[in-house]
Amino acid sequence: MRRVAVTGAGVVSPLGTTLEQFHESLAAGRSGIRRLAPELTGRSGVQVGATVEWNAAERFKEGEVANLDRVAQFAIAAAGQAISASALLADESLPRERIGVSWGTGMGGAHTQEASYQQVYGKGEWRVRPLTVVMGMANAAGSQVAVRHGLRGPFGNYSTACSSSAMALGEAMRTIAAGRADAMIAGGAEALLTPGVLVAWQALRTLATADPANPSASCKPFDKRRTGLVLGEGAAAFVLEEESRARARGARIYALLTGYGNSCDAVHMSRPDRDGQVRAMKEALTEARLSPPDVGYINAHGTATSVGDVVEAEAINVVFGASAREVRVSSTKSLHGHLLGGSGALEFAAALLALERGILPPTGFLDEPDPACGLRHVAHTAERVEPPRAVMSNSFAFGGSNVVLVASRA
Amino acid sequence: MDTLGRIRHLAAKEFSINPDGLDPAAPLDTLGIDSLSFIEFMFKVEEEFGVSVSDEDLKAIRTLADLERHVAAALAAAGKA
């Protein structure tokens, strides 16, 4: 069986634009959630969000930047960091046909699509940029990563709402395990904080209202006072590599990606289902050949919706049984917001902090835990423990798609 | 700035190349400008000059000098030059 090592990671997030900054912010329990500027929200009524501090002109050439949707800019930056950290491409013995890309995004080039609609319906000008299609399509960000680095192996782009990039990691792992590639750049990105998208989310009545005393504390997963999720943007990317090859070239191995569970609730488009989540967690543990006591930390999906948090807590209790009293759980969405298609990858990066260094990132602002969410929470501040043997990251999406990743110590 | 000068300036910005090094007679592909990039570039040229180049004329454009001729003709036809 070919095992899969994580040998590089990159992050563009509301908590910083490198993996180190992201980990530092999580360890400090800092929140990147803010009141959104009126030009971003329009009249949608959305109050808070988690934006990336981003100066594209510093990162791309003048002619280039106008031709890359914000989501592709994030993707290129995160993937570039991961590739550079891994030094994968310095190994000339590995043909680019053996390196693929596995990407995830919910909406793709939302800014490009919105600009086009604004032009047509807003201004009544039926003349849009010729690059609208290739910048706006869902696979643009992942394809830009492949083009940048000449990665000619297997390509996949997953669009399963909030589980998209977790699925991209899982499928990349299977691609390497099956021998169809020796390395994969896997991750996801989302950049959809535009008035037209925000008003659609607002219509769902699932977004948090601003905390009047502290807007940064507006997302409160597992707390009795939770009012909903806070949208964010960003990207995370990893270099996944066949383990023996990674060891032979002396690569730094952050972790082994050992388990991937994938199930569909098949009951409802938005209401989560405990049993579907249970199946995905069990599948991931079985594939990783681990039992519940081996898992020291779970990065929960924990969106801070009234129903979602309770169902996930129940599912964790079903899977972990008596171990549920021990396994530490947090939802880092309280700090970086919900990156939707990018969230699985970003939260896998958060879980690596727990696995590698034993720093368990907290659920921010969890002052009044909801008794209906009976979990061993890491609240307010990071908890420091002996690095656990394994960690889990949950991503449960609209449409009933459940993806669970398990990473083990290298 | 004359028409060709403005086109060269736009091209230099779009493709991140030095305008002084641009040979107006060089085929576009030798300047590293592929067909998709060219279509996007034409969109910006049309915006800049407020003219429209037909699909048929577009196919005949091989160089920046060709482009200048078409833009100049379109400007003249529109009474802008």
Side-chain angles (χ1 to χ4, degrees):
Chain A
M1 181 69 181
R2 285 157 60 93
R3 297 207 304 174
V4 176
V6 180
T7 58
V11 164
V12 170
S13 81
L15 296 178
T17 50
T18 64
L19 179 72
E20 290 70 27
Q21 287 173 11
F22 177 63
H23 279 173
E24 219 171 86
S25 299
L26 288 177
R30 266 199 297 276
S31 166
I33 293 168
R34 302 277 181 275
R35 266 194 196 281
L36 291 176
E39 59 265 29
L40 215 58
T41 60
R43 288 185 284 145
S44 66
V46 176
Q47 300 168 337
V48 287
T51 53
V52 174
E53 273 187 42
W54 190 248
N55 184 348
E58 282 175 1
R59 293 171 182 264
F60 298 95
K61 292 178 194 156
E62 193 179 1
E64 202 175 43
V65 71
N67 299 342
L68 293 169
D69 189 277
R70 189 171 172 88
V71 77
Q73 295 174 19
F74 290 169
I76 290 168
Q81 291 171 28
I83 289 169
S84 149
S86 73
L88 177 75
L89 300 183
D91 176 7
E92 285 171 6
S93 71
L94 181 60
R96 302 288 166 102
E97 286 74 14
R98 297 291 297 166
I99 310 174
V101 174
S102 184
W103 205 255
T105 183
M107 284 198 72
H111 284 264
T112 301
Q113 291 173 26
E114 180 133 334
S116 152
Y117 297 144
Q118 173 66 17
Q119 185 82 355
V120 173
Y121 301 117
K123 297 183 184 159
E125 290 175 13
W126 288 74
R127 179 182 154 79
V128 301
R129 291 185 55 188
L131 288 183
T132 299
V133 170
V134 291
M135 287 170 69
M137 63 192 190
N139 56 326
S143 292
Q144 287 284 0
V145 171
V147 168
R148 289 257 149 179
H149 302 283
L151 309 177
R152 295 188 288 268
F155 182 90
N157 188 72
Y158 302 89
S159 190
T160 51
C162 313
S163 64
S164 303
S165 55
M167 191 176 290
L169 263 71
E171 293 297 329
M173 168 194 162
R174 297 248 166 106
T175 301
I176 295 171
R180 298 182 59 205
D182 292 321
M184 296 288 288
I185 312 307
E190 202 76 83
L192 46 56
L193 301 178
T194 67
V197 175
L198 289 174
V199 73
W201 274 95
Q202 186 73 349
L204 262 177
R205 296 172 184 269
T206 185
L207 297 184
T209 49
D211 182 298
N214 177 11
S216 300
S218 299
C219 181
K220 298 182 176 73
F222 306 121
D223 192 292
K224 276 195 283 195
R225 303 160 303 153
R226 67 189 181 277
T227 59
L229 62 97
V230 171
L231 294 172
E233 60 173 3
F238 302 88
V239 173
L240 305 183
E241 199 173 344
E242 193 274 316
E243 185 192 7
S244 66
R245 158 169 276 283
R247 293 204 187 276
R249 73 178 182 89
R252 174 190 164 191
I253 297 179
Y254 297 61
L256 299 172
L257 179 52
T258 47
Y260 166 43
N262 180 332
S263 73
C264 189
D265 295 340
V267 291
H268 194 270
M269 289 307 285
S270 63
R271 192 182 63 238
D273 176 59
R274 188 193 72 181
D275 294 347
Q277 299 179 3
V278 166
R279 285 197 305 278
M281 280 189 263
K282 283 187 172 170
E283 185 191 2
L285 285 173
T286 303
E287 183 169 33
R289 298 180 187 191
L290 295 172
S291 53
D294 298 322
V295 177
Y297 169 74
I298 301 173
N299 188 295
H301 186 58
T303 56
T305 58
S306 58
V307 178
D309 289 4
V310 175
V311 172
E312 183 173 12
E314 285 173 7
I316 289 172
N317 275 286
V318 168
V319 173
F320 282 76
S323 302
R325 287 196 294 273
E326 291 304 319
V327 62
R328 271 50 160 202
V329 180
S330 72
S331 168
T332 49
K333 287 187 178 76
S334 51
L335 307 176
H336 52 63
H338 192 347
L339 268 63
L340 304 171
S343 67
L346 186 69
E347 289 160 27
F348 186 74
L352 288 185
L353 176 66
L355 185 70
E356 274 206 298
R357 294 162 60 190
I359 299 173
L360 313 183
T363 301
F365 319 107
L366 180 51
D367 295 333
E368 299 177 32
D370 182 347
C373 304
L375 297 166
R376 180 150 182 180
H377 299 289
V378 183
H380 297 291
T381 51
E383 194 176 328
R384 283 167 170 75
V385 298
E386 272 294 301
R389 184 170 170 203
V391 295
M392 175 179 274
S393 182
N394 289 344
S395 300
F396 304 138
F398 278 178
S401 162
N402 306 302
V403 174
V404 175
L405 299 172
V406 168
S408 307
R409 282 173 62 79
Chain B
M1 206 185 289
D2 62 2
T3 305
L4 183 59
R6 283 164 73 188
I7 290 174
R8 282 168 69 143
H9 182 71
L10 275 179
K13 204 168 127 180
E14 178 78 10
F15 305 112
S16 305
I17 39 185
N18 179 1
D20 301 331
L22 276 178
D23 175 5
L28 293 166
D29 54 358
T30 65
L31 300 174
I33 303 172
D34 61 46
S35 59
L36 178 63
S37 312
F38 179 65
I39 301 290
E40 177 73 12
F41 176 57
M42 274 309 297
F43 179 81
K44 288 169 185 164
V45 170
E46 289 177 331
E47 297 273 286
E48 166 80 11
F49 292 96
V51 298
S52 174
V53 176
S54 72
D55 289 355
E56 206 170 295
D57 286 347
L58 202 63
K59 286 180 192 137
I61 295 173
R62 300 269 183 269
T63 66
L64 290 180
D66 291 346
L67 175 56
E68 185 215 2
R69 273 194 300 280
H70 279 90
V71 171
L75 286 171
K80 291 180 185 173

